[in-house]
Amino acid sequence: MAKFVLAGKTDCPYYAKAELLADTLQQCLPDFKIHKISILPDEWKEWLGATCEKNKWKHEGSPLVWRELVEQGGKGMLLGGFNDFLEHCQDYYGITSDMTTDVMLSVAAENLEAKMNLIKEEQHRASLIQPLHVWITGALNPTCQVLIPSLLSPEVFPKVSAISLHLLDLEGNEEQLQSLRLEIEELAISMLHQVTTDTDLERAFRKADVILLLDDGGHDGENEGEEVKKKKVNVISERYKEYGQLIDATAKETVKVIVSGDSFLNLRCSLLVDSARSIDSHQFMAAAAQLENEAKAVLGKKMRMRPSDITDVIVWGNISGTFYIDLQRAKVFNHNGPITGPAFFSQPLLSIFPDRKWLETDFHHLVRRRRLAVTSKTGQVAAPSAANGILTVLKAWNGASGPDVLSSGVACPGHYSLPDGIVFSVPVTFTDGKWSVVSELIVENELKHRLELSVSELQQEKQFGSDSGTT
């Protein structure tokens, strides 16, 4: 089989003549194959230079013809321009071209018009696609790699047909991000429209519909002194204030922002709310679902049941600091006890829990230590549980699915006597893409004291961040 490649400027008359000659050969010879490459006039010089450099050829003008060595392998064999192609056809196949100059010019004009029409059609088709723009910071974080395959799905975005994914990592290098981009493209997910990568803030958050912030500076140390904490807060404050300003300037007004990670979740979210002043504070959220699920896992192990059969566990306070796990509304399904029922039957957890003293003494400590145990063994963040927490929030926020009540870090002054200026984890419900605080819960003395401790800690973190801007 003879396979030739014919490339040329779209408006080149000799490209038109070579094209007609190639078509004649294909019709006459079943083993003759031709591949045509039509290049716009203003792009021809650059394309020709790059092609010749790649193949170590020397050629000027249009067209360019070479033979692909389909059986021998290796690079193609250069024939040259139109005259070289014509001579080859005459010598080997006894076929020539008698196209007149007028016809050559006419066909060349038709080729150019057809090419321009094709480009317009492609541009129009592309304009009809309105992808959802999803930005992820800290994209080289292991959580991102676990998250993406499940993120790009109708289960998370039920009314979306295409997603443009934008990966940003200020600590990473471009080569690592490009490798990640290739891996994502190779997933061949139908909803994925395109993937872009960045290692600086030049284009950050443009047209963003959803922003997931994964860069947090690592897990808080339990015995860190005040000065160490101040330094961490200073670094985080500078970055997240800049993030907030960029979100304010370049993201869509309807953007949904989720902060995730192991440290200073409430503070980071609060800094965004303060800096992105034209964006409604209800569009910022710190994900507490991971902590909720960790609490369910601890309870499930104690009760010898599946964590997924425990619902309505509430996280109050500072998600990555002083928090309180509230079980006053917690329910248990499929409990193997004296009272059983169908799958939809539930019982209050506190009414059947076997060891109330354990809840008061060991429970919170075990929840706090659970994630540290995972990270100390693997040397990395607990990526699967972090990714699942983000997906839980997105599904609920987008009206796809989710628990009836979900703990989330939000700005909610006035609720439960919480002050302005902080982001606090409270129970919320979602309706039609908007959240509201569950307001009928009982706040007894113990819970009230815990809330006050969390408020004090968050106000101190906020003050550290304010001090960083004045030094």
Side-chain angles (χ1 to χ4, degrees), residues 81-187:
F82 171 74
N83 290 333
D84 301 296
F85 182 50
L86 178 62
E87 184 178 341
H88 180 85
C89 294
Q90 290 172 338
D91 291 345
Y92 282 85
Y93 307 113
I95 294 176
T96 188
S97 174
D98 56 0
M99 182 185 287
T100 65
T101 301
D102 290 342
V103 175
M104 288 167 56
L105 293 173
S106 176
V107 173
E110 291 175 2
N111 283 344
L112 180 59
E113 182 180 3
K115 182 73 172 182
M116 297 306 297
N117 288 337
L118 180 61
I119 291 173
K120 288 179 181 179
E121 288 178 11
E122 291 175 350
Q123 290 174 342
H124 176 67
R125 193 181 304 113
S127 70
L128 297 177
I129 300 174
Q130 299 294 332
L132 189 83
H133 292 273
V134 178
W135 282 82
I136 302 179
T137 72
L140 293 176
N141 186 310
T143 299
C144 180
Q145 299 175 43
V146 176
L147 172 67
I148 286 173
S150 299
L151 178 69
L152 305 173
S153 74
E155 292 183 2
V156 181
F157 298 104
K159 298 179 181 179
V160 174
S161 59
I163 293 176
S164 286
L165 189 62
H166 307 276
L167 307 177
L168 174 67
D169 198 302
L170 302 184
E171 272 75 47
N173 62 56
E174 187 62 34
E175 185 177 348
Q176 290 175 306
L177 280 173
Q178 289 300 326
S179 295
L180 178 58
R181 178 184 63 80
L182 291 174
E183 289 182 29
I184 295 169
E185 290 175 342
E186 288 167 1
L187 293 173

Side-chain angles (χ1 to χ4, degrees), residues 94 394-395 413:
L394 277 172
K395 289 176 183 178

Side-chain angles (χ1 to χ4, degrees), residues 250-441:
T250 64
K252 293 181 180 177
E253 290 185 0
T254 56
V255 66
K256 293 177 180 177
V257 183
I258 298 176
V259 180
S260 180
D262 287 337
S263 65
F264 301 108
L265 265 72
N266 299 55
L267 174 63
R268 289 155 56 206
C269 189
S270 179
L271 291 167
L272 296 175
V273 171
D274 292 345
S275 302
R277 298 187 178 181
S278 68
I279 308 292
D280 192 319
S281 63
H282 276 62
Q283 291 161 226
F284 296 86
M285 184 171 289
Q290 181 182 8
L291 185 55
E292 260 192 28
N293 292 335
E294 289 165 344
K296 292 175 186 177
V298 172
L299 291 167
K301 182 177 181 181
K302 183 70 174 178
M303 299 178 72
R304 296 181 180 179
M305 59 184 300
R306 297 184 305 173
S308 59
D309 286 331
I310 302 172
T311 67
D312 294 352
V313 172
I314 297 169
V315 176
W316 296 92
N318 189 356
I319 301 165
S320 49
T322 300
F323 60 81
Y324 180 69
I325 308 294
D326 181 5
L327 303 177
Q328 64 175 289
R329 284 187 52 154
K331 298 192 291 286
V332 174
F333 293 81
N334 302 315
H335 180 246
N336 185 20
I339 301 176
T340 59
F344 60 81
F345 175 72
S346 67
Q347 301 175 72
L349 183 144
L350 291 177
S351 68
I352 61 174
F353 197 81
D355 190 348
R356 295 294 289 269
K357 185 177 180 181
W358 177 88
L359 288 176
E360 297 172 1
T361 57
D362 296 340
F363 174 50
H364 276 79
H365 175 71
L366 290 172
V367 173
R368 185 175 296 278
R369 296 292 303 174
R370 187 173 181 87
R371 197 180 310 177
L372 287 172
V374 173
T375 56
S376 64
K377 288 180 179 179
T378 63
Q380 294 183 333
V381 298
S385 60
N388 184 57
I390 295 169
L391 293 170
T392 300
V393 176
L394 277 172
K395 289 176 183 178
W397 210 347
N398 292 330
S401 64
D404 294 334
V405 176
L406 182 66
S407 304
S408 299
V410 293
C412 53
H415 292 276
Y416 299 105
S417 301
L418 295 172
D420 196 1
I422 62 170
V423 165
F424 205 85
S425 182
V426 294
V428 302
T429 57
F430 294 87
T431 305
D432 297 328
K434 296 182 179 180
W435 59 264
S436 57
V437 177
V438 178
S439 57
E440 71 273 13
L441 293 174

Side-chain angles (χ1 to χ4, degrees), residues 170-171 201 215-218 227-243 263-264 267-268 271 461 464-469 471:
L170 302 184
E171 272 75 47
L201 294 174
D215 48 348
D216 63 357
E227 288 303 315
V228 174
K229 188 173 183 178
K230 278 185 177 181
K231 289 181 180 179
K232 282 190 174 182
V233 170
N234 289 348
V235 173
I236 288 171
S237 295
E238 290 180 10
R239 174 168 295 184
Y240 274 76
K241 286 175 183 176
E242 189 171 10
Y243 278 171
S263 65
F264 301 108
L267 174 63
R268 289 155 56 206
L271 291 167
E461 290 179 0
F464 288 163
S466 298
D467 293 344
S468 72
T471 57

